[in-house]
């Protein structure tokens, strides 16, 4: 069998095998759901008569306020007897599972650590007495246990525990282990099909050039153009079938070995994703026919008169150039798509330096006024009064599970300070004056785009209890706000949804007019502030935030005992931005790994290309050897060819991938029209440059030993 055929078969096999193995691993994980649920009931049993309540944990690994979704504790007042231990929980103590921290991949705190639990009414403090070795999180299942006496002292909304069966718990474990695989499932299939296609095209181009004289002879003795087409098609289908069979069998053997080596993790054994094997079977002929179609134009150009030619086969780099360009282009497309979408979620620099939350109950306005009298390193500190209000007419949000109806809403932010936002409609001076003098508002450009609003329109609100308001829009600002309001715990209060159409900046009087709650129930829950530039430069965002947070806690503690019922958390805009970027890079990076792994597979095509190139240059190499060229110098010639092809492939892939990424961004933005996300085009040059270097390294890893092996002959 020719080298070009071996490379094509291996390429198809690896592409197919990767899909079958990864999705088989997902199916195997899902197959364990019943066994995992049974183990949960054995190792973390909950008494039928237990009481449960939900809390948010103010947990700070390495002293940092957590960014992202909150850490949730489902606390059960229950006797706890696990399979291996019987826990006697003392008053004021708790027993936790590893799963509580696994939900955010955090290190488990040591025994004796104090946990801060934030309820709906106040903040509670419990000391960890023991840790149960259970690591799989399950939403709604208790991950923290307290005594009945401790539960009685915690004045919160306790409810009766509804005992769960294995069948009810099992679905909660079916999707968790395969979440990352499922996220990239479509990309995985697309990249696998593209990789197989590219290597087949490369093989067919090389095959046609190598058999050019043979095809010409067949044309001369009567073979029709249809016969040539059938010959090319047969070769493409044969290579694809061989690669498909090899890939499926090898992946199943590898999966079986992986499961056998982890029998504890996979007690139910291996499960095969027949659906994805079927998808590969359906895609295989499509890939083969497409590859043959691409190569057919070259085959049909062979003339019968070439049968008399004695020339050596030409160097044929086009197939490998296309393959490498497609592989690197897929990587670039993912990076451009992700970066362009993520740019709308990084908080704008015009947002204040930090938000301080005083939750769950807040404090009085008098205490806030005293805090404002002076905090070290703070240039401006003002009260921020958040209130989510439904938009008129009511439009119900899609919900998961049962519960109160939730509607599209606006996040009113009342303050006597308007930060230095960038206005795209209206002027700052006129807008500030208008919101002080009446029920007017300033909205973001995102919200205006999503709801088709403009300067001078009315923002209509349904405040509940029959109260409706219309706020005149007196300014539009260009502002990214999603993550800073989420991380700052500004939205999702008072049983409102965490989703909102955006912040609406108003006066305190307007917030009070829109608030249907009795005045006695309203407390001050948030502040926002700007640091002194020198203070921020000296300490940095993290240390500056901890200093200011401690000062606020001390000030409130000296003035009132209410602070004991709250948790004070400072959320720095720059820390939120860093966390957002890090999370985005993690998600994009995990998706970009798929095409990048297949670039390595595509690099196998250099073997076939270099062998064919060496065959076409036999006479030239003999002459060079005769005049004194060393084998190393001949190898350098072949390596240079590989680098040239890789370089051009990267250049073409960069522009093609950027175009595809931009088109995907436009399509995704159109699908998310209700969010008002602005059009953007971001090319992460540093990441792409690293990817280009990695692609060149892959090419060298294949080209160098191949070239050395060729010239030794």
């Amino acid at each position: 069998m020719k080298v070009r055929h071996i490379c094509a078969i291996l390429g198809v096999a690896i592409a197919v095998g990767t899909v079958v193995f990864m999705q088989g691993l997902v199916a195997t994980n899902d197959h364990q759901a019943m066994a995992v649920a049974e183990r949960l009931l054995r190792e973390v049993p909950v008494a039928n008569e237990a009481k449960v309540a939900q809390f948010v944990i103010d947990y700070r690994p390495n002293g940092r306020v957590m960014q992202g979704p909150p850490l949730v504790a489902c606390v059960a007042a229950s006797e706890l007897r696990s399979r291996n231990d019987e826990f006697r929980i003392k008053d004021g103590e708790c027993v936790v599972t590893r799963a509580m921290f696994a939900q955010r991949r955090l290190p488990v705190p040591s025994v004796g650590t104090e946990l801060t639990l934030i309820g709906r009414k106040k903040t509670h403090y419990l000391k960890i007495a023991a840790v149960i070795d259970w690591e799989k999180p399950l939403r709604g299942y208790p991950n923290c246990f307290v005594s009945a006496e401790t539960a009685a002292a915690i004045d919160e909304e306790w409810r009766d525990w509804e005992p769960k069966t294995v069948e009810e718990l099992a679905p909660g474990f079916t999707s968790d282990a395969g979440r990352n695989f499922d996220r990239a499932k479509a990309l995985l299939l697309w990249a696998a099909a593209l990789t197989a296609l590219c290597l087949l095209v490369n093989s067919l181009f090389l095959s046609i050039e190598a058999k050019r004289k043979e095809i010409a002879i067949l044309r001369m003795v009567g073979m029709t153009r249809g016969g040539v087409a059938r010959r090319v098609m047969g070769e493409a289908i044969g290579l694809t079938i061989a690669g498909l069979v090899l890939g499926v069998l090898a992946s199943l053997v590898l999966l079986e070995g992986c499961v056998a080596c982890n029998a504890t993790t996979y007690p139910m054994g291996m499960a095969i994703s027949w659906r994805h094997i079927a998808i590969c079977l359906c895609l295989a002929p499509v890939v083969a026919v497409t590859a043959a179609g691409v190569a057919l134009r070259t085959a049909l150009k062979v003339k019968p008169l070439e049968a008399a030619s004695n020339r050596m086969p030409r160097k044929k780099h086009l197939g490998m150039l296309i393959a490498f360009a497609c592989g690197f282009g897929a990587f670039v497309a993912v990076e451009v798509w992700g970066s362009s979408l993520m740019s709308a979620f990084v908080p704008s620099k015009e947002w204040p330096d930090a938000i301080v939350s005083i939750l769950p109950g807040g404090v009085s306005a008098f205490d806030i006024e005293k805090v404002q009298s002076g905090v070290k390193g703070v240039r401006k500190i003002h009260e921020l009064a958040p209130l989510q209000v439904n938009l008129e007419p009511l439009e119900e949000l899609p919900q998961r599970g049962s519960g109160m109806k939730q509607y599209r809403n606006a996040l009113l932010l009342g303050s006597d300070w308007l930060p230095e936002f960038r206005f795209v409609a209206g002027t700052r001076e006129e807008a500030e004056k208008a919101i002080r003098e009446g029920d007017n508002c300033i909205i973001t450009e995102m919200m205006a785009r999503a709801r088709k609003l403009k300067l001078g329109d009315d923002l209509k609100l349904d405040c509940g209890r029959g109260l409706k308001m219309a706020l005149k829009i007196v300014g539009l600002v260009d502002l990214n706000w999603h993550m800073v309001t989420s991380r700052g715990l500004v939205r999702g209060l008072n049983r409102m949804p965490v989703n909102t159409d955006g912040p609406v900046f108003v006066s305190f009087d307007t917030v009070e007019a829109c608030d249907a709650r009795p005045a006695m129930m309203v407390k001050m829950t948030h502040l926002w502030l700007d640091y002194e530039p020198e203070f921020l430069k000296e300490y940095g965002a993290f240390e500056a935030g901890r200093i200011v947070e401690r000062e606020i806690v001390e000030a409130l503690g000296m003035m009132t005992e209410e602070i004991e019922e709250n948790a004070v958390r400072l959320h720095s805009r720059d820390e939120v931005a860093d966390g957002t970027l890090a999370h985005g890079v993690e998600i994009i990076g995990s998706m970009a790994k798929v095409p990048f792994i297949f670039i390595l597979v595509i690099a196998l095509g250099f073997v076939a290309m270099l062998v064919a190139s060496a065959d076409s240059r036999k006479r030239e190499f003999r002459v060079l050897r005769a005049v004194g060229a060393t084998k190393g110098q001949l190898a350098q010639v072949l390596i240079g060819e590989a680098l040239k092809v890789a370089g051009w492939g990267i250049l073409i892939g960069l522009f093609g991938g950027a175009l595809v990424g931009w088109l995907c961004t436009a399509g995704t933005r159109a699908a998310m029209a209700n969010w008002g996300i602005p059009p953007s085009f971001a090319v992460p040059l540093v990441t792409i440059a690293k990817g280009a270097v990695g692609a060149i390294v892959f090419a060298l890893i294949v080209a160098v030993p191949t070239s050395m092996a060729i010239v030794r002959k």
Side-chain angles (χ1 to χ4, degrees):
M1 186 179 289
K2 300 294 184 181
V3 172
R4 59 178 177 269
H5 294 153
I6 294 173
C7 290
I9 290 170
L10 284 178
V12 174
I14 294 172
V16 170
T18 303
V19 173
V20 174
F21 176 80
M22 293 180 74
Q23 295 304 319
L25 198 58
V26 173
T28 300
N29 274 312
D30 291 349
H31 187 52
Q32 317 305 311
M34 292 290 285
V36 174
E38 290 176 357
R39 189 159 64 89
L40 173 62
L41 290 179
R42 287 196 309 270
E43 298 193 7
V44 193
V46 182
N48 292 344
E49 64 277 7
K51 301 284 186 180
V52 294
Q54 293 278 111
F55 296 87
V56 171
I57 302 177
D58 182 8
Y59 181 58
R60 306 188 180 196
N62 300 320
R64 292 183 178 271
V65 175
M66 285 179 54
Q67 306 299 338
L71 194 63
V72 177
C74 181
V75 181
S78 168
E79 290 185 2
L80 184 59
R81 294 184 179 86
S82 76
R83 183 178 61 180
N84 300 318
D85 301 282
E86 181 174 340
F87 298 96
R88 299 293 183 186
I89 310 174
K90 298 178 182 178
D91 192 17
E93 293 184 341
C94 65
V95 173
V96 300
T97 66
R98 292 184 179 277
M100 176 190 290
F101 304 93
Q103 59 184 298
R104 291 291 307 279
R105 293 183 290 182
L106 295 169
V108 180
S110 59
V111 172
T113 302
E114 187 175 68
L115 284 185
T116 302
L117 279 67
I118 305 173
R120 289 192 175 275
K121 298 180 180 180
K122 60 185 295 187
T123 299
H124 312 275
Y125 304 92
L126 298 174
K127 185 177 291 186
I128 297 178
V131 177
I132 300 174
D133 190 20
W134 174 263
E135 73 291 346
K136 291 184 177 292
L138 180 65
R139 181 178 295 179
Y141 196 88
N143 52 21
C144 179
F145 297 85
V146 298
S147 65
E149 293 76 17
T150 300
I154 298 176
D155 182 22
E156 293 290 346
E157 299 175 0
W158 294 90
R159 58 181 175 81
D160 293 332
W161 167 248
E162 298 178 6
K164 306 293 184 182
T165 63
V166 171
E167 290 74 16
E168 291 172 323
L169 294 175
F173 294 110
T174 56
S175 61
D176 183 65
R179 187 175 297 143
N180 290 332
F181 289 142
D182 287 341
R183 181 184 292 154
K185 185 187 296 182
L187 180 63
L188 177 67
L189 288 168
W190 176 74
L194 181 63
T195 301
L197 175 64
C198 288
L199 287 172
L200 279 172
V201 168
N202 184 49
S203 175
L204 292 174
F205 275 152
L206 295 175
S207 185
I208 291 167
E209 186 60 32
K211 297 179 180 179
R212 199 174 186 91
K213 187 172 183 178
E214 180 183 336
I215 295 173
I217 293 172
L218 291 172
R219 289 296 310 279
M220 190 172 64
V221 298
M223 178 179 279
T224 63
R225 293 165 67 90
V228 174
R230 285 192 295 274
R231 184 185 178 93
V232 173
M233 188 73 70
E235 184 173 347
I237 292 175
L239 293 174
T240 303
I241 292 174
L244 178 68
V245 173
L246 178 62
V248 171
L249 292 177
S251 64
L252 293 181
V253 170
L254 184 61
L255 181 61
E256 175 63 32
C258 180
V259 171
C261 292
N262 295 274
T264 304
T265 306
Y266 306 114
M268 301 294 289
M270 181 181 76
I272 299 173
S273 178
W274 295 107
R275 177 170 171 267
H276 287 88
I277 292 178
I279 290 174
C280 291
L281 288 172
C282 294
L283 282 176
V286 175
V287 169
V289 170
T290 304
V294 173
L296 194 57
R297 187 166 175 267
T298 302
L300 295 178
K301 284 184 178 180
V302 178
K303 306 298 183 184
L305 291 177
E306 293 185 35
S309 173
N310 289 319
R311 71 167 179 82
M312 297 292 291
R314 296 189 185 95
K315 293 182 291 184
K316 202 69 176 177
H317 296 165
L318 181 61
M320 193 58 217
L321 180 64
I322 293 173
F324 215 66
C326 287
F328 188 71
F331 167 74
V332 173
V334 171
E335 291 289 349
V336 169
W337 170 78
S339 298
S340 298
L341 284 180
M342 193 175 69
S343 63
F345 293 89
V346 179
S348 296
K349 283 291 185 183
E350 294 83 7
W351 191 276
D353 289 334
I355 288 181
V356 181
S357 60
I358 310 169
L359 295 171
V363 296
S364 70
F366 298 106
D367 294 329
I368 296 295
E369 290 176 3
K370 294 175 183 177
V371 172
Q372 290 172 329
S373 62
V375 175
K376 177 185 176 182
V378 172
R379 179 164 52 94
K380 291 180 180 179
I381 182 167
H382 294 261
E383 181 196 333
L384 179 67
L387 178 70
Q388 276 177 263
V389 179
N390 294 327
L391 292 163
E392 166 74 18
L394 293 177
E395 182 180 339
E396 191 171 352
L397 290 170
Q399 294 185 77
R400 297 177 181 176
S402 59
M404 296 175 60
K405 288 186 177 180
Q406 297 181 341
Y407 303 94
R408 292 189 68 176
N409 60 83
L411 173 61
L412 303 187
L413 296 179
S415 179
D416 57 2
W417 169 42
L418 185 66
E420 297 295 327
F421 296 143
R422 188 167 69 86
F423 278 77
V424 294
T427 65
R428 179 184 179 82
E429 295 75 17
E430 293 175 354
E432 268 192 307
K433 181 180 178 183
I435 62 175
R436 282 198 305 266
E437 294 178 350
D439 290 332
N440 302 306
C441 68
I442 298 169
I443 68 172
T444 65
E445 192 177 18
M446 283 191 194
M447 187 178 197
R449 188 183 293 111
R451 298 199 64 81
K452 297 179 174 58
L453 296 169
K454 61 182 183 300
L455 192 70
D457 288 351
D458 286 338
L459 181 68
K460 298 179 181 179
L461 305 173
D462 185 337
C463 306
R465 303 185 185 182
L467 175 62
K468 297 188 179 184
M469 297 279 290
L471 309 182
K472 184 179 179 181
I473 300 171
V474 295
L476 269 66
V477 294
D478 181 13
L479 188 69
N480 291 351
W481 52 270
H482 293 85
M483 294 300 149
V484 77
T485 56
S486 171
R487 305 304 188 250
L489 307 179
V490 176
R491 44 193 167 112
L493 302 173
N494 306 315
R495 302 182 186 276
M496 290 296 288
V498 294
N499 296 320
T500 180
D501 276 30
V504 176
F505 303 99
V506 296
S507 66
F508 285 131
D509 290 338
T510 300
V511 170
E512 186 177 355
C514 294
D515 197 340
R517 295 174 298 168
M520 65 184 70
M521 294 181 60
V522 180
K523 292 288 186 72
M524 309 307 167
T525 58
H526 288 79
L527 305 168
W528 56 358
L529 56 87
D530 268 346
Y531 299 119
E532 293 284 359
E534 297 79 13
F535 177 77
L536 184 59
K537 184 178 180 180
E538 179 182 357
Y539 291 101
F542 170 64
E543 188 59 33
R546 304 295 78 81
I547 292 171
V548 170
E549 185 182 74
R550 284 195 298 269
E551 290 202 2
I552 292 173
V553 169
E554 289 172 5
L556 290 172
M558 287 186 290
M559 289 178 279
T560 175
E561 292 183 0
E562 283 184 318
I563 191 62
E564 295 295 332
E565 299 182 355
N566 294 289
V568 176
R569 284 183 281 186
L570 184 144
H571 302 263
S572 166
R573 178 202 63 221
D574 292 341
E575 283 191 272
V576 171
D578 290 345
T580 303
L581 285 168
H583 185 59
V585 167
E586 182 183 2
I587 293 175
I588 296 168
S590 64
M591 297 185 72
K593 285 177 185 175
V594 173
F596 203 71
I597 288 170
F598 283 115
I599 293 176
L600 177 58
V601 180
I602 286 174
L604 289 174
F606 281 112
V607 176
M609 186 198 80
L610 292 175
V611 169
S613 181
D615 284 341
S616 70
R617 305 177 73 165
K618 281 181 180 179
R619 293 174 185 170
E620 178 186 345
F621 279 9
R622 288 182 187 129
V623 171
L624 289 173
R625 286 287 286 161
V627 298
T630 65
K631 291 183 178 180
Q633 289 172 328
L634 297 182
Q636 287 177 18
V637 173
L638 294 175
I639 294 169
E641 284 189 17
L643 286 177
K644 184 178 179 180
V645 171
W648 278 107
I650 287 172
L651 189 62
I652 295 169
L654 174 62
F655 290 101
L659 176 61
V660 172
W662 180 78
L663 293 173
C664 291
T665 302
T668 306
R669 179 178 168 268
M672 301 166 71
N674 285 345
W675 291 25
I677 291 177
S680 59
F681 180 65
V683 180
L685 293 176
V686 174
T687 302
I688 288 174
K690 291 179 180 177
V693 171
I696 292 291
V697 170
F698 288 167
L700 288 173
I701 288 173
V702 175
V704 171
T706 301
S707 300
M708 296 300 295
I710 289 171
V711 298
R712 285 196 190 100
K713 296 181 179 180

